[in-house]
Amino acid sequence: MPTEEWEFTITTEAGREHRWDWAGLLSLPLQRFTTDLHCVTKWSKLGTVWEGVSLDDLFAEVESTADYALTHSYGGYITNLPLDDLLEGQAWIAVRYDDADLAPEHGGPARLLVPHLYLWKSAKWVRGIQLLHDDEPGFWESAGYHNYGDPWREHRYWGD
Ligand SMILES: Nc1nc2c(c(=O)[nH]1)N[C@H]1C(S)=C(S)[C@@H](COP(=O)(O)O)O[C@H]1N2
Ligand SMILES: [Mo]
């Protein structure tokens, strides 16, 4: 996905669309942050260094009373999470990893990063976020993975 073609859209439950192109995204403050990553298959990667735009900045102008977010990726992957988990400094659209532009295999040019949840919630090649009043399961959540995915409570599968 070349950056010239990249777009990111937040769609509210009322159908209102907020859209950024690559230049629009990069006009927002780029935050540098260090975090641990937790994969459901029991590996963790500690102290990873990223740069990205905070979802707080993207949601600054968005008016919504929805409780849920369904993220969509180029390629069709979807994953769901509560909207609250995307806000208050907990999530970013990451564009750089380890002081380099994010590699395509890791979701470049831009991926969602929600490090306090299992990594399957961190959608690579992210294209948009759809706000919903009613929760809808994503790809892995429909296939038996836990709906919320808290690594500290080992939320791997439904029923964990
Ligand atoms: N678009 C998209 N995002 C995705 C996935 C995917 O298949 N497609 N897999 C998820 C899973 S299960 C994991 S563990 C991480 C892997 O990220 P990495 O390839 O950068 O290690 O991406 C997550 N985001
Ligand atoms: Mo994964």
Side-chain angles (χ1 to χ4, degrees):
M1 163 69 33
T3 53
E4 304 82 63
E5 287 168 30
W6 187 88
E7 280 188 340
F8 177 77
T9 308
I10 294 175
T11 309
T12 71
E13 69 280 13
R16 174 119 199 257
E17 295 189 337
H18 300 257
R19 186 165 293 136
W20 293 263
D21 62 10
W22 190 251
L25 181 77
L26 295 186
S27 72
L28 296 168
L30 212 54
Q31 296 182 354
R32 190 180 166 90
F33 58 98
T34 302
T35 189
D36 300 341
L37 306 176
H38 304 284
C39 178
V40 69
T41 57
K42 302 191 177 177
W43 57 264
S44 291
K45 196 165 177 181
L46 306 182
T48 60
V49 179
W50 299 82
E51 284 167 66
V53 173
S54 171
L55 269 286
D56 293 317
D57 289 320
L58 291 162
F59 273 96
E61 311 273 287
V62 176
E63 282 184 33
S64 169
T65 58
D67 289 325
Y68 300 100
L70 190 61
T71 78
H72 296 259
S73 293
Y74 291 100
Y77 184 81
I78 57 175
T79 184
N80 61 312
L81 66 175
L83 176 55
D84 280 352
D85 286 84
L86 290 175
L87 303 177
E88 299 193 13
Q90 300 185 92
W92 294 264
I93 301 295
V95 297
R96 291 178 60 81
Y97 169 68
D98 220 1
D99 289 312
D101 290 343
L102 184 59
E105 63 267 35
H106 293 300
R111 77 180 296 166
L112 183 66
L113 206 72
V114 196
H116 73 284
L117 299 178
Y118 276 129
L119 208 53
W120 87 78
K121 300 284 185 182
S122 291
K124 301 195 275 188
W125 313 293
V126 68
R127 178 167 70 87
I129 295 174
Q130 182 187 358
L131 300 176
L132 299 168
H133 282 307
D134 297 309
D135 200 11
E136 273 181 37
F139 175 75
W140 286 115
E141 295 83 2
S142 302
Y145 276 36
H146 197 277
N147 197 51
Y148 184 61
D150 181 349
W152 301 107
R153 287 185 277 170
E154 304 205 34
H155 279 168
R156 293 193 175 85
Y157 307 106
W158 279 100
D160 280 353

